[in-house]
Amino acid sequence: MAKRESGRLMLESEIPAFVDAVIEAGCDICAIGHDSYVLGDLEEMDAATDELDRINEVFGDRDFLLLEIVAYLRSLGRYLEPSPSPGHWSDNSKAH
């Protein structure tokens, strides 16, 4: 997936819609610790390349919202703590 610059900056209020769009694209987005997140595993991302490109175009640059996106994902229970055997985010007691 090539990152295209649309010149648009994502708004903090768009984080829930962004996360929903990534999930709807078939990617299992989750936070890793308190300062990073992944869109999904490589197979998911590869299968959803076109849709992820479209999502990038729609929402624009979000790099500066990294911590806010992570906090939102954690509030949903979609997070993993870094460890040798992290499991799956859905193992969290807060997961919906």
Side-chain angles (χ1 to χ4, degrees), residues 71-90:
Y72 180 72
L73 291 167
R74 290 183 68 86
S75 77
L76 297 177
R78 297 182 75 91
Y79 67 92
L80 292 173
E81 294 300 340
S83 72
S85 180
H88 190 269
W89 68 262
S90 61

PDB file of all heavy atoms in Angstrom, residues 71-90:
ATOM      1  N   ALA A  71      -5.396   6.067  21.857  1.00  0.00           N
ATOM      2  CA  ALA A  71      -6.288   6.199  23.014  1.00  0.00           C
ATOM      3  C   ALA A  71      -7.703   5.739  22.660  1.00  0.00           C
ATOM      4  O   ALA A  71      -8.359   5.055  23.461  1.00  0.00           O
ATOM      5  CB  ALA A  71      -6.302   7.639  23.515  1.00  0.00           C
ATOM      6  N   TYR A  72      -8.167   6.079  21.479  1.00  0.00           N
ATOM      7  CA  TYR A  72      -9.506   5.650  21.060  1.00  0.00           C
ATOM      8  C   TYR A  72      -9.568   4.127  20.939  1.00  0.00           C
ATOM      9  O   TYR A  72     -10.513   3.500  21.431  1.00  0.00           O
ATOM     10  CB  TYR A  72      -9.898   6.318  19.742  1.00  0.00           C
ATOM     11  CG  TYR A  72     -11.269   5.895  19.279  1.00  0.00           C
ATOM     12  CD1 TYR A  72     -12.412   6.333  19.932  1.00  0.00           C
ATOM     13  CD2 TYR A  72     -11.421   5.030  18.202  1.00  0.00           C
ATOM     14  CE1 TYR A  72     -13.675   5.932  19.530  1.00  0.00           C
ATOM     15  CE2 TYR A  72     -12.680   4.622  17.788  1.00  0.00           C
ATOM     16  CZ  TYR A  72     -13.797   5.070  18.464  1.00  0.00           C
ATOM     17  OH  TYR A  72     -15.050   4.657  18.066  1.00  0.00           O
ATOM     18  N   LEU A  73      -8.579   3.549  20.298  1.00  0.00           N
ATOM     19  CA  LEU A  73      -8.551   2.088  20.157  1.00  0.00           C
ATOM     20  C   LEU A  73      -8.516   1.407  21.519  1.00  0.00           C
ATOM     21  O   LEU A  73      -9.209   0.411  21.749  1.00  0.00           O
ATOM     22  CB  LEU A  73      -7.357   1.651  19.301  1.00  0.00           C
ATOM     23  CG  LEU A  73      -7.455   2.023  17.821  1.00  0.00           C
ATOM     24  CD1 LEU A  73      -6.102   1.828  17.141  1.00  0.00           C
ATOM     25  CD2 LEU A  73      -8.539   1.217  17.135  1.00  0.00           C
ATOM     26  N   ARG A  74      -7.725   1.949  22.434  1.00  0.00           N
ATOM     27  CA  ARG A  74      -7.652   1.379  23.779  1.00  0.00           C
ATOM     28  C   ARG A  74      -8.998   1.498  24.486  1.00  0.00           C
ATOM     29  O   ARG A  74      -9.412   0.590  25.206  1.00  0.00           O
ATOM     30  CB  ARG A  74      -6.530   2.026  24.587  1.00  0.00           C
ATOM     31  CG  ARG A  74      -5.130   1.638  24.084  1.00  0.00           C
ATOM     32  CD  ARG A  74      -4.039   2.225  24.947  1.00  0.00           C
ATOM     33  NE  ARG A  74      -4.032   1.606  26.274  1.00  0.00           N
ATOM     34  CZ  ARG A  74      -3.396   0.485  26.587  1.00  0.00           C
ATOM     35  NH1 ARG A  74      -2.688  -0.162  25.674  1.00  0.00           N
ATOM     36  NH2 ARG A  74      -3.445   0.015  27.811  1.00  0.00           N
ATOM     37  N   SER A  75      -9.713   2.608  24.264  1.00  0.00           N
ATOM     38  CA  SER A  75     -11.020   2.778  24.912  1.00  0.00           C
ATOM     39  C   SER A  75     -12.027   1.742  24.415  1.00  0.00           C
ATOM     40  O   SER A  75     -12.983   1.419  25.120  1.00  0.00           O
ATOM     41  CB  SER A  75     -11.562   4.196  24.680  1.00  0.00           C
ATOM     42  OG  SER A  75     -12.078   4.345  23.364  1.00  0.00           O
ATOM     43  N   LEU A  76     -11.799   1.227  23.204  1.00  0.00           N
ATOM     44  CA  LEU A  76     -12.656   0.186  22.644  1.00  0.00           C
ATOM     45  C   LEU A  76     -12.219  -1.215  23.070  1.00  0.00           C
ATOM     46  O   LEU A  76     -12.882  -2.193  22.739  1.00  0.00           O
ATOM     47  CB  LEU A  76     -12.645   0.255  21.113  1.00  0.00           C
ATOM     48  CG  LEU A  76     -13.186   1.515  20.458  1.00  0.00           C
ATOM     49  CD1 LEU A  76     -13.011   1.424  18.951  1.00  0.00           C
ATOM     50  CD2 LEU A  76     -14.632   1.748  20.833  1.00  0.00           C
ATOM     51  N   GLY A  77     -11.069  -1.295  23.745  1.00  0.00           N
ATOM     52  CA  GLY A  77     -10.516  -2.596  24.102  1.00  0.00           C
ATOM     53  C   GLY A  77      -9.706  -3.211  22.977  1.00  0.00           C
ATOM     54  O   GLY A  77      -9.283  -4.363  23.065  1.00  0.00           O
ATOM     55  N   ARG A  78      -9.463  -2.459  21.912  1.00  0.00           N
ATOM     56  CA  ARG A  78      -8.708  -2.950  20.759  1.00  0.00           C
ATOM     57  C   ARG A  78      -7.229  -2.601  20.943  1.00  0.00           C
ATOM     58  O   ARG A  78      -6.705  -1.711  20.290  1.00  0.00           O
ATOM     59  CB  ARG A  78      -9.235  -2.341  19.457  1.00  0.00           C
ATOM     60  CG  ARG A  78     -10.683  -2.728  19.144  1.00  0.00           C
ATOM     61  CD  ARG A  78     -11.124  -2.145  17.820  1.00  0.00           C
ATOM     62  NE  ARG A  78     -10.554  -2.872  16.712  1.00  0.00           N
ATOM     63  CZ  ARG A  78     -11.118  -3.917  16.105  1.00  0.00           C
ATOM     64  NH1 ARG A  78     -12.289  -4.355  16.494  1.00  0.00           N
ATOM     65  NH2 ARG A  78     -10.518  -4.511  15.107  1.00  0.00           N
ATOM     66  N   TYR A  79      -6.565  -3.304  21.860  1.00  0.00           N
ATOM     67  CA  TYR A  79      -5.146  -3.039  22.112  1.00  0.00           C
ATOM     68  C   TYR A  79      -4.453  -4.313  22.569  1.00  0.00           C
ATOM     69  O   TYR A  79      -5.071  -5.245  23.069  1.00  0.00           O
ATOM     70  CB  TYR A  79      -4.964  -1.943  23.162  1.00  0.00           C
ATOM     71  CG  TYR A  79      -5.436  -2.336  24.541  1.00  0.00           C
ATOM     72  CD1 TYR A  79      -4.547  -2.915  25.454  1.00  0.00           C
ATOM     73  CD2 TYR A  79      -6.750  -2.142  24.931  1.00  0.00           C
ATOM     74  CE1 TYR A  79      -4.982  -3.292  26.721  1.00  0.00           C
ATOM     75  CE2 TYR A  79      -7.186  -2.512  26.181  1.00  0.00           C
ATOM     76  CZ  TYR A  79      -6.298  -3.085  27.075  1.00  0.00           C
ATOM     77  OH  TYR A  79      -6.725  -3.459  28.318  1.00  0.00           O
ATOM     78  N   LEU A  80      -3.162  -4.306  22.369  1.00  0.00           N
ATOM     79  CA  LEU A  80      -2.269  -5.349  22.867  1.00  0.00           C
ATOM     80  C   LEU A  80      -1.149  -4.666  23.620  1.00  0.00           C
ATOM     81  O   LEU A  80      -0.697  -3.590  23.226  1.00  0.00           O
ATOM     82  CB  LEU A  80      -1.655  -6.151  21.718  1.00  0.00           C
ATOM     83  CG  LEU A  80      -2.591  -7.037  20.916  1.00  0.00           C
ATOM     84  CD1 LEU A  80      -1.854  -7.613  19.722  1.00  0.00           C
ATOM     85  CD2 LEU A  80      -3.148  -8.141  21.784  1.00  0.00           C
ATOM     86  N   GLU A  81      -0.710  -5.291  24.689  1.00  0.00           N
ATOM     87  CA  GLU A  81       0.489  -4.821  25.374  1.00  0.00           C
ATOM     88  C   GLU A  81       1.674  -5.579  24.777  1.00  0.00           C
ATOM     89  O   GLU A  81       1.578  -6.791  24.577  1.00  0.00           O
ATOM     90  CB  GLU A  81       0.397  -5.071  26.880  1.00  0.00           C
ATOM     91  CG  GLU A  81      -0.687  -4.270  27.575  1.00  0.00           C
ATOM     92  CD  GLU A  81      -0.526  -2.767  27.442  1.00  0.00           C
ATOM     93  OE1 GLU A  81       0.582  -2.272  27.143  1.00  0.00           O
ATOM     94  OE2 GLU A  81      -1.535  -2.069  27.619  1.00  0.00           O
ATOM     95  N   PRO A  82       2.751  -4.878  24.475  1.00  0.00           N
ATOM     96  CA  PRO A  82       3.917  -5.565  23.924  1.00  0.00           C
ATOM     97  C   PRO A  82       4.399  -6.649  24.886  1.00  0.00           C
ATOM     98  O   PRO A  82       4.561  -6.399  26.084  1.00  0.00           O
ATOM     99  CB  PRO A  82       4.962  -4.452  23.782  1.00  0.00           C
ATOM    100  CG  PRO A  82       4.158  -3.193  23.731  1.00  0.00           C
ATOM    101  CD  PRO A  82       2.945  -3.442  24.582  1.00  0.00           C
ATOM    102  N   SER A  83       4.557  -7.842  24.363  1.00  0.00           N
ATOM    103  CA  SER A  83       5.057  -8.959  25.154  1.00  0.00           C
ATOM    104  C   SER A  83       5.520 -10.049  24.195  1.00  0.00           C
ATOM    105  O   SER A  83       5.174 -10.020  23.018  1.00  0.00           O
ATOM    106  CB  SER A  83       3.967  -9.495  26.094  1.00  0.00           C
ATOM    107  OG  SER A  83       2.979 -10.186  25.365  1.00  0.00           O
ATOM    108  N   PRO A  84       6.258 -11.020  24.700  1.00  0.00           N
ATOM    109  CA  PRO A  84       6.703 -12.101  23.819  1.00  0.00           C
ATOM    110  C   PRO A  84       5.539 -12.891  23.213  1.00  0.00           C
ATOM    111  O   PRO A  84       5.642 -13.423  22.129  1.00  0.00           O
ATOM    112  CB  PRO A  84       7.539 -12.998  24.727  1.00  0.00           C
ATOM    113  CG  PRO A  84       7.948 -12.131  25.854  1.00  0.00           C
ATOM    114  CD  PRO A  84       6.840 -11.127  26.023  1.00  0.00           C
ATOM    115  N   SER A  85       4.414 -12.954  23.907  1.00  0.00           N
ATOM    116  CA  SER A  85       3.254 -13.690  23.424  1.00  0.00           C
ATOM    117  C   SER A  85       2.001 -12.836  23.643  1.00  0.00           C
ATOM    118  O   SER A  85       1.249 -13.058  24.593  1.00  0.00           O
ATOM    119  CB  SER A  85       3.141 -15.021  24.176  1.00  0.00           C
ATOM    120  OG  SER A  85       2.032 -15.735  23.706  1.00  0.00           O
ATOM    121  N   PRO A  86       1.757 -11.849  22.770  1.00  0.00           N
ATOM    122  CA  PRO A  86       0.706 -10.871  23.037  1.00  0.00           C
ATOM    123  C   PRO A  86      -0.728 -11.380  22.929  1.00  0.00           C
ATOM    124  O   PRO A  86      -1.631 -10.765  23.445  1.00  0.00           O
ATOM    125  CB  PRO A  86       0.959  -9.785  22.005  1.00  0.00           C
ATOM    126  CG  PRO A  86       1.651 -10.475  20.900  1.00  0.00           C
ATOM    127  CD  PRO A  86       2.463 -11.569  21.539  1.00  0.00           C
ATOM    128  N   GLY A  87      -0.966 -12.490  22.254  1.00  0.00           N
ATOM    129  CA  GLY A  87      -2.335 -12.963  22.098  1.00  0.00           C
ATOM    130  C   GLY A  87      -3.097 -12.155  21.071  1.00  0.00           C
ATOM    131  O   GLY A  87      -2.541 -11.760  20.052  1.00  0.00           O
ATOM    132  N   HIS A  88      -4.361 -11.865  21.345  1.00  0.00           N
ATOM    133  CA  HIS A  88      -5.219 -11.105  20.438  1.00  0.00           C
ATOM    134  C   HIS A  88      -5.944 -10.044  21.251  1.00  0.00           C
ATOM    135  O   HIS A  88      -6.323 -10.277  22.392  1.00  0.00           O
ATOM    136  CB  HIS A  88      -6.226 -12.051  19.763  1.00  0.00           C
ATOM    137  CG  HIS A  88      -6.982 -11.425  18.647  1.00  0.00           C
ATOM    138  ND1 HIS A  88      -8.186 -10.804  18.845  1.00  0.00           N
ATOM    139  CD2 HIS A  88      -6.696 -11.319  17.326  1.00  0.00           C
ATOM    140  CE1 HIS A  88      -8.625 -10.335  17.675  1.00  0.00           C
ATOM    141  NE2 HIS A  88      -7.737 -10.635  16.751  1.00  0.00           N
ATOM    142  N   TRP A  89      -6.179  -8.891  20.644  1.00  0.00           N
ATOM    143  CA  TRP A  89      -6.819  -7.794  21.380  1.00  0.00           C
ATOM    144  C   TRP A  89      -8.178  -8.195  21.942  1.00  0.00           C
ATOM    145  O   TRP A  89      -8.598  -7.685  22.964  1.00  0.00           O
ATOM    146  CB  TRP A  89      -6.937  -6.537  20.508  1.00  0.00           C
ATOM    147  CG  TRP A  89      -7.892  -6.682  19.363  1.00  0.00           C
ATOM    148  CD1 TRP A  89      -7.573  -6.979  18.081  1.00  0.00           C
ATOM    149  CD2 TRP A  89      -9.311  -6.549  19.407  1.00  0.00           C
ATOM    150  NE1 TRP A  89      -8.701  -7.047  17.314  1.00  0.00           N
ATOM    151  CE2 TRP A  89      -9.799  -6.786  18.112  1.00  0.00           C
ATOM    152  CE3 TRP A  89     -10.229  -6.265  20.399  1.00  0.00           C
ATOM    153  CZ2 TRP A  89     -11.141  -6.740  17.776  1.00  0.00           C
ATOM    154  CZ3 TRP A  89     -11.576  -6.219  20.090  1.00  0.00           C
ATOM    155  CH2 TRP A  89     -12.032  -6.458  18.788  1.00  0.00           C
ATOM    156  N   SER A  90      -8.873  -9.113  21.281  1.00  0.00           N
ATOM    157  CA  SER A  90     -10.206  -9.484  21.740  1.00  0.00           C
ATOM    158  C   SER A  90     -10.182 -10.235  23.075  1.00  0.00           C
ATOM    159  O   SER A  90     -11.231 -10.442  23.683  1.00  0.00           O
ATOM    160  CB  SER A  90     -10.942 -10.321  20.696  1.00  0.00           C
ATOM    161  OG  SER A  90     -10.238 -11.524  20.453  1.00  0.00           O
TER     162      SER A  90
END
